[in-house]
Amino acid sequence: MKNDDVTFSRRSFLGGATALAASSLMPNLTWAAAGALPNSKFNGVQIGVITYSYRSLPGSAEDLLKYVVQCGISSIELMGGPAEQFAKAATGEKDGGKSLADWRRSASMDGFKALRKMYNAAGVNIHIVKFGDIGNPGMPDEQIEYYFQVAKALGAIGITREISEPAAQRLGPLADKHEIMIGFHNHTQLTPTTYDGPMLSHGKYLGINLDIGHYVAGTNQSPLPLIEKHCDRILSLHIKDRKMNNGPNMPLGQGDTPVAEVLQYMKKNQLTFPADIELEYKIPENSDAVQEVTQCVQFCKQALA
């Protein structure tokens, strides 16, 4: 995509009635038009960010896009909440007293398609959307179907949620039908043999969203053997640095997580799944999430040089 394609005029990134409805929501996005599109793919490894990293800042879809571009990032895992808020407003839909569940049953995908166009025009791909409750007990089938349709409208290749064997059983056939991967995210409960069991056996589109920092904190082991063993089922990595023995989150390079070694392994073996920064260490008083994520990007770029 050429730089001169990035013109955030109200009619250029949205079409027809959706553009007119969404235009009133859009801030002045000249921050992207003035410079080159972001590119955070370094020597074949896609560095991204989960937008949860910006939770300390205003969190609309427009805000998040601004932060991502300022950090020079070209691919993201987008939290589902801001995406749904944008979709409602972009299509001019009013709640009318309806619950979110009721809105989802008849929601148009036009707003999500408009969101995808806006992000893509800025040089940002939405490779994953986070719907952490997908497949939870008691969730209606139509809500699960809605989540898959949203992922497709956003151009995402996967949806992330926490590890759950019952959810894997329920979602496996549906993920295969839609050809959208479910990536199971771990905290410190993951062991080196968790995925040797039946978790991934319920569908070929069930996969792993491997948080390497949590893994090191919980196991006191390097994640590299797990990555090597299951690289064909990894949807994405979460990049963070933690100390062993359930130790704290640290700035990249200051904990016990072999972040640079993992990135170098991805480069050497031409692994194409994204490595998404998740900012969880305490932000210094003289900084903010945008500055800290930018530093994380630079750490990853140097590790991949």
Side-chain angles (χ1 to χ4, degrees):
M1 188 179 297
K2 298 179 181 178
N3 294 347
D4 57 6
D5 290 334
V6 187
T7 61
F8 281 88
S9 67
R10 291 173 176 173
R11 296 178 186 271
S12 65
F13 67 84
L14 300 175
T18 300
L20 295 175
S23 63
S24 62
L25 303 171
M26 296 305 300
N28 181 3
L29 299 182
T30 55
W31 40 263
L37 295 178
N39 180 10
S40 55
K41 192 171 188 177
F42 308 125
N43 283 318
V45 178
Q46 179 65 63
I47 300 299
V49 68
I50 177 171
T51 58
Y52 170 79
S53 298
Y54 304 109
R55 63 197 176 280
S56 60
L57 299 171
S60 72
E62 299 93 335
D63 290 327
L64 293 172
L65 179 56
K66 179 174 67 175
Y67 309 147
V68 168
V69 172
Q70 287 175 342
C71 294
I73 291 171
S74 53
S75 196
I76 64 169
E77 177 181 347
L78 178 64
M79 301 299 287
E84 291 187 308
Q85 292 162 12
F86 180 93
K88 284 184 181 182
T91 54
E93 296 183 45
K94 305 295 183 182
D95 286 342
K98 293 193 297 184
S99 68
L100 178 59
D102 289 336
W103 177 80
R104 285 167 169 164
R105 290 190 183 97
S106 58
S108 167
M109 291 296 110
D110 289 348
F112 296 106
K113 292 175 183 178
L115 178 59
R116 176 184 181 180
K117 288 182 180 179
M118 182 176 75
Y119 273 59
N120 288 173
V124 178
N125 174 49
I126 302 170
H127 59 248
I128 297 169
V129 59
K130 175 83 172 187
F131 285 122
D133 62 345
I134 187 171
N136 275 0
M139 178 171 287
D141 291 341
E142 57 264 32
Q143 184 172 342
I144 295 176
E145 181 69 19
Y146 159 84
Y147 283 153
F148 279 112
Q149 294 303 326
V150 170
K152 291 178 182 179
L154 292 174
I157 62 170
I159 300 169
T160 50
R161 62 149 294 135
E162 299 302 312
I163 290 175
S164 167
E165 175 79 20
Q169 288 182 286
R170 185 176 184 188
L171 294 173
L174 298 173
D176 288 354
K177 181 184 79 170
H178 289 285
E179 298 185 343
I180 295 288
M181 184 172 278
I182 300 294
F184 293 105
H185 175 264
N186 63 284
H187 285 85
T188 55
Q189 82 278 38
L190 186 64
T191 73
T193 60
T194 296
Y195 288 113
D196 295 341
M199 178 74 68
L200 303 181
S201 68
H202 303 291
K204 63 181 181 179
Y205 277 84
L206 296 181
I208 303 169
N209 167 223
L210 176 60
D211 188 307
I212 62 173
H214 289 328
Y215 182 81
V216 167
T219 65
N220 294 342
Q221 297 184 35
S222 168
L224 282 168
L226 190 70
I227 293 171
E228 181 177 10
K229 183 189 296 185
H230 295 293
C231 61
D232 60 334
R233 299 297 286 267
I234 293 177
L235 171 62
S236 65
L237 302 184
H238 275 182
I239 299 298
K240 67 163 61 79
D241 199 347
R242 284 188 66 179
K243 291 283 191 179
M244 292 181 179
N245 297 309
N246 287 301
N249 291 290
M250 304 292 292
L252 298 189
Q254 297 183 29
D256 295 322
T257 309
V259 177
E261 290 87 342
V262 166
L263 295 175
Q264 290 162 4
Y265 180 86
M266 292 180 66
K267 173 185 172 183
K268 178 180 178 181
N269 291 279
Q270 300 181 334
L271 301 180
T272 58
F273 48 78
D276 293 333
I277 295 160
E278 184 175 25
L279 181 67
E280 288 203 302
Y281 63 82
K282 184 177 180 181
I283 297 172
E285 290 184 4
N286 61 347
S287 187
D288 61 24
V290 172
Q291 294 180 61
E292 296 304 312
V293 171
T294 300
Q295 290 182 28
C296 292
V297 173
Q298 291 306 309
F299 178 95
C300 295
K301 183 178 181 179
Q302 292 172 12
L304 291 164

